[in-house]
Amino acid sequence: MKCNEEIIEYMHEYLDEEITDEHKQLLKTHIEQCEECRMHFHELKRAIAFVQSTSHFQAPAGFTENVMARLPKEKKKVGAQRWLRKHPMLAAASLFLILMSGSVLSAWNQESALSVSKQSNLVIENDTVIVPEGEVVKGDVVVKNGNLQINGEVEGDATVINGEQYLASAGNVTGEIKEVDQLFEWLWYHIKNTSKSLISTVTQEDEKE
Amino acid sequence: MELLVKKRIKQVLKGDQDAYAEIVEIYKDRVYHICYRMLGNQHESEDIAQEAFLRAYVNIQSFNTNLKFSTWLYRIATNLCIDRIRKKKPDYYLDAEVAGTDGLNMYSQIPASTKLPEEDVEKMELQETIQMEISKLPEKYRSVIVLKYIEELSLNEISETLDLPLGTVKTRIHRGREALRKQLRYV
């Protein structure tokens, strides 16, 4: 290049829009005189115009979906949070159900040992509870995880949970006889009892008033 | 728009993936365009642009929310493009002269796919030529030229995007411009 390298430098300063007035003046006067530098400057501007003329591209269709499909799975916690935000009532209901069934189920699981309601005249032989012949047991009899054999009389309900009951021909139960074997029945029994006691407390309160 | 993006980023930081879809939607065209100008190939550009969004998502924790998200995203995209260019240096060039012919290059071996009206052909050809000339630039000049003249970023933004000193950015733009000037002189 015959001309001063500085002139080329000024051209770039000009193109970067960082040229000082002084340099701009120098560049201008030089270009008017020097054919070669004029060409050079023109070619630079032309090249830039070409590059800028390239049309803008749009990302291919389905681009976002493809990106989203490639993302690692989001944390479960967040999914749950978003779900909670969208369905507050459902969330409350299901939380209630979970807690309820949890407490009932744990009650179910805890008691694998034989347990009997407290009546002094009941006789226990291995896993069988016997209401002896001629005896009268007052109140409800509840046997869990065992069998109940009724030879005498029960003044109230007889309930056997997770076991069987035998009612001898001489035996007599004034109330209901219930056998609860299955988990669902146990749940149902539980719910029924809870609601019964609820109702009775309500009625009691009513009576008080 | 930066405000909206910041809001979405906060949601993404909490792990909400749906918010990220909106960010992708906002920037996909520009990221794709950068990739296309850097790589000159649609299939690869899509691949790299997707990869850039994926990287941005995975590393979103390291994004400084005081900065511009676009700058950060473009940096990821440009770096991925540069990596890709380095990995696959072509062993032949389409515009290299075919041995034993007078001025015929490999382009003459490629049949035109469809017939287009003359004007479109000219326009297409010009676009292709420009793209080809951009592709011929060394990658360090190509990235600054693409960011400056296609994304229209300021010199400072380019310096931030590429994590280069301002002086280096200027030098590369000057050299890139000179290279383009020579390449496009007879177009």
Side-chain angles (χ1 to χ4, degrees), chain A residues 103-166:
Chain A
S103 70
V104 173
L105 279 177
S106 65
W108 165 265
N109 284 330
Q110 268 168 19
E111 301 153 10
S112 57
L114 173 74
S115 67
V116 196
S117 52
K118 281 177 195 157
Q119 275 105 351
S120 52
N121 43 4
L122 287 173
V123 177
I124 300 168
E125 269 176 24
N126 296 327
D127 60 345
T128 308
V129 179
I130 302 167
V131 179
E133 219 175 325
E135 294 270 353
V136 178
V137 177
K138 289 185 178 171
D140 298 344
V141 176
V142 179
V143 178
K144 278 183 195 167
N145 306 309
N147 303 324
L148 174 65
Q149 192 173 337
I150 305 163
N151 300 330
E153 195 175 325
V154 177
E155 279 188 357
D157 298 343
T159 310
V160 184
I161 297 155
N162 232 6
E164 286 172 54
Q165 60 85 24
Y166 313 100

Side-chain angles (χ1 to χ4, degrees), chain B residues 172-186:
Chain B
R172 288 188 181 180
I173 287 185
H174 296 184
R175 298 208 177 131
R177 270 198 296 245
E178 287 296 337
L180 278 175
R181 178 186 73 87
K182 282 176 197 144
Q183 286 165 216
L184 291 167
R185 187 187 282 172
Y186 303 112

Side-chain angles (χ1 to χ4, degrees), chain B residues 94 98 101 104-112:
Chain B
L94 283 174
V98 177
T101 61
L104 273 182
N105 60 30
M106 292 299 281
Y107 278 105
S108 55
Q109 309 288 312
I110 302 169

Side-chain angles (χ1 to χ4, degrees), chain A residues 39-66:
Chain A
M39 261 314 271
H40 191 113
F41 194 44
H42 173 73
E43 282 167 4
L44 272 176
K45 286 201 280 190
R46 197 164 156 269
I48 292 163
F50 271 139
V51 171
Q52 282 178 323
S53 76
T54 58
S55 45
H56 265 256
F57 276 77
Q58 283 191 344
F63 184 89
T64 307
E65 288 76 11
N66 289 338

Side-chain angles (χ1 to χ4, degrees), chain A residues 8 12 16 18 40 43 46 48 50 53-57 59 64 66 68 70 72 74 78 82, chain B residues 14-17 25 29 33 36-37 50-51 54 127 130 149 170 174 177-178 181 184-185 187:
Chain A
I8 307 283
H12 286 290
D16 287 341
E18 288 188 334
H40 191 113
E43 282 167 4
R46 197 164 156 269
I48 292 163
F50 271 139
S53 76
T54 58
S55 45
H56 265 256
F57 276 77
T64 307
N66 289 338
M68 296 311 286
R70 281 175 71 181
E74 70 180 358
V78 180
R82 194 168 45 227
Chain B
K14 284 180 194 156
D16 189 344
Q17 231 169 42
E25 204 53 43
D29 288 345
H33 197 219
Y36 184 75
R37 290 302 168 203
Q50 282 187 14
E51 180 71 21
L54 196 66
Q127 292 271 317
I130 294 164
Y149 289 113
K170 277 189 198 167
H174 296 184
R177 270 198 296 245
E178 287 296 337
R181 178 186 73 87
L184 291 167
R185 187 187 282 172
V187 171

